[in-house]
Amino acid sequence: MKEIESQGLYDPSFEKDSCGIGFVAHLKGKKSHDIVDKALTMLEQMEHRGACGCESTTGDGAGVLIQVPHEFFVNECVKIGIKLPAFGSYGVGLAFWPKDEKLREGCREIFERNIEKLGLKLIGYRKVPTFQGDVGPSALAVEPEMEHVFVGRPDSITNPDEFERKLYVLRNYTTRLVRETYHLQFPDINNLFYFTGLSYKTLVYKGQFTTWQVRQYFPDLQQKTLVSALAVVHSRFSTNTFPSFRLAQPFRYIAHNGEINTLRGNLNWMNAQEASFYSDYFTREELEMIMPI
C-alpha cells in the first residue's frame, strides 16, 4: 500500500501504534456535537483493536471522555427538578452503584456524608438513560445502576483548581470508606461501586461494551446539545485482567495502551512511599483521606 504523503499537520514520520486509542479535538477549542460524533465513529472503526468473550455482544470494554456538556445538563436537569448553577460551579461524575438496593443506599449515605464533611453541596442525582439493545448476557449480569451525581462548589472556594482537588478528595475518600465498610460482606465491592470520574471539567461514559455498543447504550451521546471541543476514546483488550465495567477506558484523565504487568510490585512500592508524602495543595488531613493512592 502506498504511504500517504505529508499534508497539513500530518507527517508519516510521526506514525506509531496506539492499540485502541483515539483522540479528536478542535484546534481552536470550539465545542460541537460533531466532535463527539466523530470520536464515536472512530471508536466504532477500532473494533478489531478490542476483544470480546464467548459472546460477540459482550466486549472487554470501551468508552469516551469529553468535556462537561453544561448546556445539555442544564436542559436535562430541569426535567427532573434540578437547577444547575453556572459552569464551573459544580462537579459531575458518572457513578456506578451496586444493584443491591440496601448496599446502594449504604454507599450513597457514605458519599453524602463526605460531601458535607468536605464543605461541598449535594445538588442532586440524574439516572443515566441506557439502552441495553444487543449488549450480551455476561455484561448485563454485572451491569451497575448508573447515575450522574452533581456536587456544588461552596462560596468559600473561588479557585477552580482548588474545587477540582476537593472533588478528587471526595471521590477517593468515598471509594476508600465504601471499600473498608463493605469488603468483608461484599468482596467484589471494588467492581460494584465506582466513579468513572468526578470533575467540573470532564465526563466519562464507559462500560463493558464492544466499540459499536457505546453510542447505542448511552442515548445521551446522540443528543445534539451534548457538545465538546475534545474527545478521547478507547477500545480495550484485557490481556492480564478480567474485563469489567470499572476497568473499561478511558479512565478519569487518560486512555493508555497496554497493561501493567507488575501491578502488585507497583502497589507495594507506592504504599511504601505514602508515609513521606507532602503537598502544597492538600492539607495533611486531605492527604490522609486520599490514601491509599
Side-chain angles (χ1 to χ4, degrees):
M1 188 172 76
K2 182 180 179 181
E3 184 180 83
I4 300 175
E5 298 178 354
S6 297
Q7 51 182 297
L9 295 177
Y10 171 76
D11 186 332
S13 66
F14 292 112
E15 281 198 351
K16 60 185 74 173
D17 287 332
S18 290
C19 183
I21 298 173
F23 176 67
V24 182
H26 192 281
L27 288 176
K28 296 183 178 180
K30 182 180 178 181
K31 295 182 179 181
S32 70
H33 182 70
D34 186 56
I35 291 290
V36 180
D37 183 64
K38 282 187 166 91
L40 293 173
T41 298
M42 179 195 300
L43 179 64
E44 291 159 358
Q45 300 306 311
M46 295 193 301
E47 180 65 14
H48 63 291
R49 295 289 198 175
C52 61
C54 56
E55 306 156 357
S56 61
T57 51
T58 292
D60 278 8
V64 58
L65 178 151
I66 59 174
Q67 292 173 305
V68 168
H70 177 63
E71 178 187 354
F72 169 78
F73 277 138
V74 168
N75 293 336
E76 291 300 312
C77 285
V78 165
K79 299 175 184 177
I80 54 176
I82 294 176
K83 183 178 180 180
L84 288 180
F87 174 77
S89 296
Y90 67 94
V92 59
L94 198 163
F96 291 168
W97 300 104
K99 285 285 191 182
D100 183 280
E101 184 176 358
K102 187 175 181 180
L103 176 60
R104 182 166 67 250
E105 289 308 309
C107 294
R108 196 188 301 273
E109 288 173 6
I110 291 174
F111 177 56
E112 293 180 2
R113 283 197 297 268
N114 290 338
I115 291 175
E116 184 176 356
K117 178 181 177 69
L118 288 165
L120 303 172
K121 298 180 290 188
L122 175 64
I123 297 176
Y125 301 92
R126 172 186 180 252
K127 184 174 177 60
V128 179
T130 59
F131 174 70
Q132 283 78 10
D134 293 328
V135 177
S138 295
L140 292 178
V142 293
E143 179 190 34
E145 292 286 332
M146 297 186 186
E147 284 184 323
H148 283 130
V149 298
F150 298 94
V151 180
R153 173 174 60 83
D155 295 335
S156 58
I157 297 179
T158 57
N159 185 317
D161 290 336
E162 182 182 351
F163 180 44
E164 190 77 354
R165 289 193 291 270
K166 283 288 186 183
L167 294 171
Y168 172 73
V169 173
L170 172 62
R171 174 174 59 78
N172 270 33
Y173 189 50
T174 300
T175 301
R176 169 187 156 189
L177 288 186
V178 166
R179 182 174 61 246
E180 291 176 352
T181 302
Y182 293 110
H183 77 280
L184 292 178
Q185 187 179 1
F186 298 94
D188 197 30
I189 189 62
N190 282 345
N191 286 324
L192 299 176
F193 172 76
Y194 181 81
F195 289 106
T196 68
L198 189 58
S199 168
Y200 84 88
K201 294 186 288 186
T202 60
L203 180 69
V204 176
Y205 286 88
K206 71 174 189 177
Q208 193 177 327
F209 308 125
T210 62
T211 62
W212 49 270
Q213 288 172 335
V214 175
R215 190 196 306 258
Q216 301 303 320
Y217 184 86
F218 294 111
D220 285 358
L221 297 174
Q222 303 172 43
Q223 303 305 310
K224 298 298 182 183
T225 53
L226 188 133
V227 300
S228 180
L230 61 86
V232 180
V233 294
H234 187 280
S235 173
R236 185 166 187 254
F237 196 125
S238 55
T239 54
N240 300 320
T241 54
F242 287 110
S244 71
F245 273 78
R246 175 176 68 91
L247 292 179
Q249 296 188 44
F251 294 128
R252 295 143 182 150
Y253 289 99
I254 64 169
H256 75 84
N257 178 26
E259 307 247 4
I260 302 171
N261 293 302
T262 56
L263 180 59
R264 176 54 54 190
N266 284 321
L267 287 173
N268 290 339
W269 180 247
M270 182 63 77
N271 290 337
Q273 302 300 308
E274 287 183 352
S276 61
F277 278 2
Y278 172 81
S279 173
D280 290 326
Y281 299 101
F282 295 102
T283 65
R284 188 70 231 176
E285 181 185 14
E286 288 174 336
L287 275 178
E288 294 291 340
M289 293 171 74
I290 62 178
M291 292 181 191
I293 300 296

